[in-house]
Amino acid sequence: MLPAPFTRLAASALTSASLSNGDTLFRQGDRPLCIYWLEAGNVLLRRHSRSGQEIIIHRANPGEIFAEAALFSSAYHCDAVCTKDALLTRIDKAAVLEAMRTDPDFALALSARFAGQIQSYRRRIELLAVASAEERVCSAVADGLLDGNIKTFAAEIGLSHEATYRALGKLAKSGKLLKTGRGAYAAP
Amino acid sequence: MLPAPFTRLAASALTSASLSNGDTLFRQGDRPLCIYWLEAGNVLLRRHSRSGQEIIIHRANPGEIFAEAALFSSAYHCDAVCTKDALLTRIDKAAVLEAMRTDPDFALALSARFAGQIQSYRRRIELLAVASAEERVCSAVADGLLDGNIKTFAAEIGLSHEATYRALGKLAKSGKLLKTGRGAYAAP
DNA sequence: CGTCACATTGATGCCTCTCAAAGCTTGTGG
DNA sequence: CCACAAGCTTTGAGAGGCATCAATGTGACG
């Protein structure tokens, strides 16, 4: 189910698409014509640093809208790649902007969504600023960032996967986390 | 000059205030009743990690609006402290929400402002994810984050001030940055 | 002129990255 | 059903880089 407030848009503003693992949805510099609703699968937004290091800006999960910030931008600022076969709906950018102009409730709801994103980015900044690997992993798990794929998780929180495995092991041993299966952990 | 779109608000929604170095404007958990426009001085938004490490979420500079995300939140998520005597204008939260409901252009402009903040946070995340201190400092200076106070700058980019000084020195020696004075650097 | 905060440099230790290897799971094809 | 490959998981060893502690220099301000 498309999240509010996008259900208010005309059906003509929406088109479906599917992606396979490894596909690129858009690249940094592309001109944004739509934003996306992810129904299933995973899409990563990532950039590359000057030295070639890959940096994950955001992981879109099923049910989420992503690339919203491109509504007010003339170019995407990152690449979007599919990391698990995905179904998604394109939402026409012009239709969204028009709805904002004509429907105050739509505008308000969209702003609230942006505000929520800002706060989630702040949490992420807070996380990345934590110096200790163990503490960072612990907070990240508590924030629900770990969903099965530990290597992606490690990249998201700015650690090598080895350091992440070691921290997870230590946290499980000390009882701060529960090991619920192979590569699966939960807050106690 | 108050930035757009807030000039559209009635004068009754605005009140002036001043802060001295060290003053606290609000604390994490406080209920937000207004957002702020900083005319002069500096205000830091910061949080504390579990281990007591202080984390700077945002530094508000003169001319900026800050704490906007609190419009849609029932509590501030960080502390705001003044680090340089400041003049600011409180903008009533209810008046802003009302303006969004009644004035589509206002809503659109505010959303655009949020979208801009999202992109600046993404840049920040990208910065924090860079492993090498030298590269991180170089990018941060290029982004204009260094404005005189190197200790604050160091905290903002998640490095100790010593590591920051050393990186700055090295970058200046190798010509990637220009030292323009005591504690002052610029991109060449 | 003394104090204070910032700026700078040195030495040491710990933590994480990197490279490496081996065990484990899953899937694929013969 | 087995063999093999590919990818994730886990553990080890070594090196390098950043944090930390420490000391000194420097400018601003009363």
Side-chain angles (χ1 to χ4, degrees):
Chain A
M1 183 63 187
L2 198 60
F6 300 101
T7 43
R8 294 162 169 263
L9 294 174
S12 63
L14 310 174
T15 54
S16 291
S18 65
L19 288 177
S20 302
N21 195 339
D23 284 359
T24 295
L25 182 58
F26 56 77
R27 290 178 194 282
Q28 188 171 346
D30 285 357
R31 197 141 144 245
L33 299 174
C34 52
I35 63 178
Y36 299 91
W37 172 46
L38 185 63
E39 289 184 64
N42 272 131
V43 172
L44 287 186
L45 304 186
R46 68 169 189 208
R47 298 189 63 173
H48 294 270
S49 78
R50 220 165 299 181
S51 62
Q53 190 188 350
E54 178 176 294
I55 291 162
I56 297 184
I57 307 252
H58 184 74
R59 184 186 70 221
N61 288 312
E64 288 181 10
I65 299 282
F66 65 94
E68 302 152 82
L71 276 178
F72 299 98
S73 174
S74 59
Y76 287 115
H77 287 66
C78 51
D79 297 344
V81 295
C82 174
T83 55
K84 192 200 251 179
D85 292 359
L87 284 177
L88 39 81
T89 299
R90 297 172 203 272
I91 305 173
D92 184 63
K93 173 177 159 175
V96 173
L97 291 175
E98 178 59 22
M100 290 197 71
R101 257 180 240 109
T102 56
D103 182 345
D105 288 336
F106 185 95
L108 206 60
L110 194 59
S111 290
R113 178 172 281 279
F114 279 137
Q117 275 221 357
I118 287 175
Q119 285 179 359
S120 90
Y121 276 124
R122 285 188 177 168
R123 255 206 312 272
R124 180 95 184 277
I125 286 172
E126 203 184 328
L127 203 64
L128 289 173
V130 170
S132 145
E134 206 168 314
E135 195 184 342
R136 199 189 300 179
V137 167
C138 192
S139 301
V141 172
D143 281 2
L145 265 58
L146 176 55
D147 74 331
N149 189 329
I150 294 191
K151 291 182 88 166
T152 306
F153 172 71
E156 260 182 274
I157 64 177
L159 291 175
S160 67
H161 65 271
E162 295 98 328
T164 306
Y165 281 120
R166 283 187 245 261
L168 283 169
K170 241 183 177 176
L171 289 165
K173 192 161 287 180
S174 72
K176 289 177 193 157
L177 287 180
L178 294 175
K179 180 156 188 167
T180 59
R182 181 183 162 78
Y185 293 83
Chain B
M1 184 62 188
L2 198 61
F6 300 101
T7 43
R8 294 162 169 263
L9 294 174
S12 63
L14 310 174
T15 54
S16 290
S18 66
L19 288 177
S20 302
N21 194 341
D23 285 357
T24 295
L25 183 57
F26 56 78
R27 289 177 195 283
Q28 189 171 346
D30 285 356
R31 195 139 145 249
L33 299 174
C34 51
I35 62 177
Y36 299 91
W37 172 47
L38 185 63
E39 291 184 64
N42 271 132
V43 172
L44 288 186
L45 305 186
R46 67 170 189 207
R47 298 188 63 172
H48 294 269
S49 79
R50 219 165 300 183
S51 62
Q53 190 188 350
E54 179 177 295
I55 291 162
I56 298 184
I57 308 253
H58 184 74
R59 184 186 69 220
N61 288 312
E64 289 182 9
I65 300 282
F66 66 94
E68 301 152 84
L71 276 178
F72 299 97
S73 173
S74 58
Y76 288 115
H77 288 65
C78 51
D79 297 343
V81 296
C82 174
T83 54
K84 192 202 248 178
D85 292 359
L87 285 177
L88 38 81
T89 298
R90 295 172 204 273
I91 306 172
D92 184 62
K93 173 177 159 174
V96 173
L97 291 175
E98 179 57 24
M100 289 198 72
R101 257 180 240 108
T102 55
D103 182 345
D105 288 337
F106 184 95
L108 207 61
L110 194 58
S111 290
R113 177 171 282 278
F114 278 136
Q117 275 219 357
I118 288 175
Q119 285 179 358
S120 91
Y121 276 125
R122 284 188 177 169
R123 254 205 313 271
R124 181 93 183 278
I125 286 172
E126 203 184 330
L127 203 64
L128 288 172
V130 169
S132 144
E134 204 170 324
E135 195 184 344
R136 199 189 301 180
V137 167
C138 194
S139 301
V141 172
D143 280 4
L145 265 58
L146 176 54
D147 73 331
N149 189 327
I150 294 189
K151 292 183 87 167
T152 306
F153 172 72
E156 262 181 273
I157 64 176
L159 291 175
S160 68
H161 63 272
E162 295 96 327
T164 306
Y165 283 122
R166 284 186 246 263
L168 284 168
K170 240 182 177 177
L171 289 164
K173 193 161 285 181
S174 73
K176 288 177 193 157
L177 287 179
L178 294 174
K179 179 156 190 168
T180 59
R182 181 183 161 77
Y185 293 82

